[in-house]
Amino acid sequence: MGKVGVKLAVGCAVAACVVASVMVGRRVRRKRAWRRVVKVLEELEEGCATPVARLRQVVDAMAVEMHAGLVSEGGSKLKMLLTFVHNLPSGSEEGTYYSLDLGGTNFRILRVQLGGQRSAIIGHDVDRQPIPQHLMTGTSEELFDFIASSLKDFVEREENVSEHSQSERRELGFTFSFPVKQTSSSSGILIKWTKGFVIEDMVGSDVSECLQQAISRKGLDMRVNALINDTVGTLALGHYHDEDTVAAVIIGTGTNACYLERADAIIKCQGLLTTPGDMVVNMEWGNFWSSHLPRTSYDIDLDADSPNPNDQGFEKMISGMYLGDIVRRVILRMSEELDVFGPVSSKLQVPFILRTPLMAAMHEDDTPDLREVAQILRETLEFPDIPQNVRKLVVRVCDVVTRRAARLAAAGIVGILKKIGRDGSGGIASGKNEGASQSKMRRTVVAVEGGLYTNYTLFREYLNEAMTQILGEEIAPSVIVKVMEDGSGIGAALLAAAAASHSTSSVDTVQIL
């Protein structure tokens, strides 16, 4: 071999070594980057961990905060709002009742026929209508005249004149999903508008009276005899179907809970309530907070970027509004560690672009190659083809975030049961509870509504599993979670029926101490 040939061979060998060295270096760097990505997942798992011992701490904290909120106004992160609802539907109600559900840019009118036997809802008719944009910023009279006109048209369309006795007044339950200070079971003062409504002349006014006046102006013989929010409606619907229902929880885009409390346990109103027995308390539990909640840097950043920082902390960890965005933030962090996602997509920087239904679809993707995960990442976040190992990583992130949310929601529910002595422990600061041996065996039903629980199978399974773990095998069979549908509509009509049958025992307005 000549000198030229030797030099060429040496050059080729050197080049091969350089290429090999570069390839090895890339593999090493990629492995290191992958380890950093896996480390992000491990840190997430550690930060979101919800062992049973921690969940029981959350249970205790929830029960303590509930008690504090009943002692004094502002004494707890939980508002523990009085609803003045003492009489839940018993199942014996019969007749035809109406409800109006106003919670956003649409409203619904329902007509519910009851057969006088538990669970005998003979039928119900529904009319849904949008609210014209100009009425959302007009006057209260314009808004409620429009609603009352629609209500009158609905009544006339659905009712035959012969059906309705001239001496019989129609009863209406009103679900009003805006901040209200309840003053009786059928009245409340509007604190502020949300969801795009700006009707200044109504703030500080009784919302039921505004509706009642509009109904009267339209010549419709109908009385607003129940003012509620959707959670109370869910409890009413649950109690109508099953008298052992003591609490209701909504877990959907937002979350809230209410329950039946003994009137004598509501210390901030002690001596002022004229009706003994039980009262429904609206917890507004989305604002619950405890140092025992497993909070991560992603939760902290989400809260800081939200329109209401340091508010609704529990809701931001468990509700459908936020779970998808927590996952987005984790994926963003991972994409910064490893270029397997490709260049960081500008879409990934957009808050709430990954909605929780899409996150749930990725989590529950059962295709062998996780093709739905790849499709959602491509179409929503503009990632190119994602390797299968990265798809599995994304599914794992969804699982960690969802599992934490479901298990914390379960702890919140058991916290309610602990407060009223239905968890087998005898209750907390409740004075006259039954002994633990009795409460262990007492059947208890919790009504649940909301798409996160009803439509997201893995969320539901994680929640139910956690409740069993917290309560223990002896108590858990006595606690039943029942799915409800349309508490804000049917539930309001049922409360109108219950109020009509107990009209002589209504509660006067009270001043909170």
Side-chain angles (χ1 to χ4, degrees):
M1 182 183 292
K3 290 182 179 179
V4 175
V6 170
K7 289 180 179 178
L8 184 60
V10 170
C12 289
V14 170
C17 288
V18 170
V19 170
S21 176
V22 170
M23 295 293 290
V24 170
R26 284 180 178 174
R27 282 198 295 269
V28 169
R29 287 193 296 273
R30 196 167 187 80
K31 283 184 178 179
R32 287 175 179 168
W34 180 254
R35 282 198 293 268
R36 290 198 301 272
V37 169
V38 172
K39 182 68 173 175
V40 171
L41 175 60
E42 290 172 347
E43 290 173 350
L44 179 71
E45 289 176 325
E46 183 179 350
C48 291
T50 52
V52 175
R54 169 171 264 179
L55 292 179
R56 287 185 174 137
Q57 290 175 320
V58 174
V59 168
D60 292 341
M62 178 68 79
V64 168
E65 285 293 304
M66 290 171 69
H67 177 66
L70 293 174
V71 169
S72 64
E73 202 71 16
S76 165
K77 293 284 282 186
L78 296 174
K79 291 184 172 62
M80 304 302 284
L81 303 174
L82 308 187
T83 66
F84 302 96
V85 174
H86 293 268
N87 302 300
L88 288 172
S90 64
S92 62
E93 294 81 8
E94 56 184 331
T96 300
Y97 298 88
Y98 291 84
S99 67
L100 171 65
D101 180 11
L102 176 59
T105 55
N106 295 283
F107 68 94
R108 295 184 308 143
I109 303 168
L110 287 84
R111 176 176 181 261
V112 179
Q113 296 173 278
L114 305 176
Q117 297 177 2
R118 188 172 295 281
S119 297
I121 297 177
I122 298 172
H124 72 281
D125 308 293
V126 185
D127 184 32
R128 181 190 299 270
Q129 290 196 40
I131 295 176
Q133 187 70 34
H134 71 277
L135 294 181
M136 296 173 64
T137 56
T139 66
S140 58
E141 186 171 318
E142 290 170 339
L143 173 66
F144 281 103
D145 276 354
F146 174 75
I147 292 173
S149 291
S150 302
L151 185 58
K152 183 179 181 180
D153 291 343
F154 177 80
V155 169
E156 291 176 348
R157 184 169 65 249
E158 297 295 331
E159 268 189 9
N160 295 318
V161 176
S162 59
E163 261 182 47
H164 190 76
S165 167
Q166 293 298 316
S167 61
E168 183 185 347
R169 175 182 285 179
R170 302 174 187 87
E171 305 288 352
L172 175 75
F174 185 16
T175 301
F176 186 75
S177 299
F178 297 90
V180 164
K181 181 181 180 181
Q182 200 96 16
T183 53
S184 77
S185 61
S186 60
S187 62
I189 305 300
L190 176 65
I191 297 171
K192 65 178 180 179
W193 285 107
T194 56
K195 308 174 188 177
F197 284 80
V198 185
I199 304 175
E200 295 297 338
D201 73 323
M202 193 174 159
V203 175
S205 299
D206 182 342
V207 295
S208 293
E209 185 60 28
C210 290
L211 176 60
Q212 188 66 67
Q213 290 174 0
I215 289 172
S216 298
R217 284 194 295 271
K218 298 301 174 183
L220 181 61
D221 187 17
M222 179 177 284
R223 179 181 64 165
V224 182
N225 72 346
L227 176 67
I228 65 166
N229 69 5
D230 52 0
T231 317
V232 176
T234 299
L235 178 57
L237 183 57
H239 199 271
Y240 178 79
H241 288 300
D242 192 321
E243 63 182 354
D244 290 329
T245 304
V246 297
V249 179
I250 289 182
I251 313 175
T253 304
T255 184
N256 193 17
C258 68
Y259 74 106
L260 269 175
E261 180 61 271
R262 288 192 344 274
D264 63 1
I266 306 173
I267 300 172
K268 60 187 176 184
C269 286
Q270 210 161 55
L272 298 177
L273 295 176
T274 58
T275 304
D278 297 331
M279 181 193 288
V280 178
V281 174
N282 171 22
M283 293 173 60
E284 293 294 335
W285 85 345
N287 204 42
F288 168 68
W289 188 253
S290 165
S291 61
H292 298 300
L293 293 174
R295 200 182 196 199
T296 67
S297 60
Y298 308 104
D299 301 301
I300 294 169
D301 292 343
L302 182 149
D303 180 59
D305 295 342
S306 71
N308 56 339
N310 301 314
D311 195 27
Q312 298 296 104
F314 194 52
E315 181 171 77
K316 289 171 182 172
M317 297 179 82
I318 73 169
S319 79
M321 179 72 185
Y322 300 99
L323 299 189
D325 201 58
I326 296 172
V327 169
R328 177 193 67 84
R329 290 168 184 271
V330 178
I331 294 175
L332 175 60
R333 168 80 188 282
M334 287 179 165
S335 70
E336 292 169 345
E337 296 289 347
L338 182 64
D339 63 1
V340 73
F341 287 96
V344 177
S345 165
S346 61
K347 287 291 185 70
L348 192 54
Q349 307 277 359
V350 179
F352 299 102
I353 192 169
L354 183 63
R355 297 180 299 106
T356 298
L358 294 174
M359 182 208 78
M362 290 195 296
H363 188 194
E364 298 186 326
D365 183 2
D366 58 1
T367 58
D369 57 354
L370 299 175
R371 68 175 68 98
E372 192 165 356
V373 174
Q375 180 180 343
I376 291 170
L377 292 175
R378 182 173 61 252
E379 294 179 354
T380 305
L381 300 178
E382 294 184 344
F383 282 134
D385 291 336
I386 301 296
Q388 190 163 345
N389 62 336
V390 179
R391 299 178 202 177
K392 290 179 179 178
L393 203 67
V394 170
V395 172
R396 184 62 188 151
V397 171
C398 296
D399 185 73
V400 171
V401 171
T402 297
R403 190 170 188 269
R404 179 188 68 166
R407 290 173 69 81
L408 290 178
I413 293 171
V414 178
I416 297 173
L417 301 183
K418 183 180 181 69
K419 171 64 183 70
I420 59 176
R422 295 291 192 105
D423 70 328
S425 70
I428 175 170
S430 47
K432 299 178 182 178
N433 283 314
E434 301 171 20
S437 61
Q438 290 177 304
S439 60
K440 281 181 182 180
M441 303 303 296
R442 190 167 182 186
R443 184 174 179 274
T444 296
V445 178
V446 178
V448 177
E449 190 167 358
L452 200 61
Y453 184 85
T454 58
N455 300 331
Y456 194 169
T457 302
L458 287 173
F459 182 96
R460 182 169 63 251
E461 290 176 353
Y462 282 146
L463 187 150
N464 293 341
E465 175 190 62
M467 286 192 64
T468 298
Q469 291 174 348
I470 298 167
L471 290 166
E473 293 183 1
E474 184 180 353
I475 305 300
S478 300
V479 177
I480 298 106
V481 175
K482 283 192 175 184
V483 173
M484 296 295 132
E485 187 175 347
D486 199 11
S488 62
I490 298 174
L494 291 171
L495 278 168
S501 61
H502 295 89
S503 58
T504 59
S505 58
S506 59
V507 180
D508 295 331
T509 301
V510 301
Q511 180 67 42
I512 307 285
L513 291 175

